[in-house]
Amino acid sequence: MPRPVFSRRRYENECECQLLLKEMLERLNKEADEALLHNLRLQLEAQFLQDDISAAKDRHKKNLLEVQTYISILQQIMHTTPQATIVTSGMREEKFLTEREVAALRSQLEEGRELLSHLQAQRVELQAQVPSCLRGRVPHTSSWGVPGTHTYVVRVVTLNTTVYLAETGPLSG
């Protein structure tokens, strides 16, 4: 009879050990799922920021070209205009307004450069937050089969651009 007691105790210990291992495995699976979801959120946020940076960069390049063209035209006008000793007050006022506009455009350009620099710093910070060991293990969002993810990203970028343009108004206006 002592032998069955030993086997039963051994069986109970084995069952208890199996339950503990099962609970630990479930907990680890849950933690892994949470880590993957967090990584997905970070990747989506990084993509949004990258899209924002690209849009801002394109806007600022366009603005820079407009300002450079405007400055070039102004310089051509200044060089081709004959020097007159008598300048009417209307011409002085127009030149004053033009110089103010150039100063305002340069200010906008500088603000744009600062914003671009800030967005690039944010992108670097976000990229640093995504652990390198997880980057290769989580598939790219387009391969997950999440319907509408790309469309959603495009819509968010379009809305951001629309809001920005509505807030700032056209550059030449």
Side-chain angles (χ1 to χ4, degrees):
M1 279 297 206
R3 187 172 182 108
V5 171
F6 177 71
S7 294
R8 183 177 183 172
R9 185 178 230 3
R10 185 174 178 189
Y11 175 76
E12 289 172 353
N13 284 343
E14 195 62 35
C15 288
E16 185 177 315
C17 183
Q18 290 294 325
L19 284 174
L20 288 174
L21 288 173
K22 182 180 177 183
E23 289 173 3
M24 185 185 307
L25 181 62
E26 288 173 355
R27 183 177 47 81
L28 289 173
N29 280 336
K30 183 180 177 182
E31 288 176 9
D33 288 344
E34 289 172 359
L36 286 172
L37 286 173
H38 180 70
N39 189 29
L40 171 63
R41 282 187 217 105
L42 288 175
Q43 284 184 347
L44 285 173
E45 189 174 340
Q47 183 61 44
F48 289 141
L49 287 174
Q50 182 62 41
D51 292 343
D52 287 346
I53 288 170
S54 295
K57 192 175 183 180
D58 290 343
R59 275 193 315 274
H60 296 302
K61 280 182 182 179
K62 180 183 172 192
N63 289 347
L64 176 63
L65 288 174
E66 287 180 19
V67 168
Q68 288 173 340
T69 302
Y70 191 65
I71 290 172
S72 175
I73 291 170
L74 288 176
Q75 287 174 343
Q76 288 175 1
I77 290 171
M78 289 171 47
H79 289 311
T80 58
T81 304
Q83 297 293 333
T85 55
I86 302 173
V87 178
T88 65
S89 63
M91 291 175 73
R92 286 183 186 163
E93 184 177 333
E94 185 175 304
K95 181 179 177 184
F96 175 73
L97 291 175
T98 302
E99 290 173 350
R100 281 196 347 205
E101 288 175 357
V102 168
L105 288 173
R106 284 185 178 155
S107 173
Q108 285 180 353
L109 177 62
E110 188 58 36
E111 289 173 10
R113 286 180 179 159
E114 290 173 7
L115 177 63
L116 178 61
S117 173
H118 176 71
L119 288 173
Q120 287 172 337
Q122 283 181 339
R123 182 187 72 193
V124 169
E125 181 180 324
L126 276 173
Q127 287 175 340
Q129 289 176 1
V130 177
S132 61
C133 63
L134 291 178
R135 283 193 191 122
R137 294 185 182 185
V138 177
H140 192 271
T141 56
S142 63
S143 66
W144 290 345
V146 178
T149 302
H150 178 71
T151 305
Y152 178 74
V153 169
V154 170
R155 285 179 39 204
V156 167
V157 170
T158 302
L159 287 173
N160 282 343
T161 304
T162 304
V163 167
Y164 175 79
L165 290 175
E167 288 175 352
T168 61
L171 179 65
S172 61

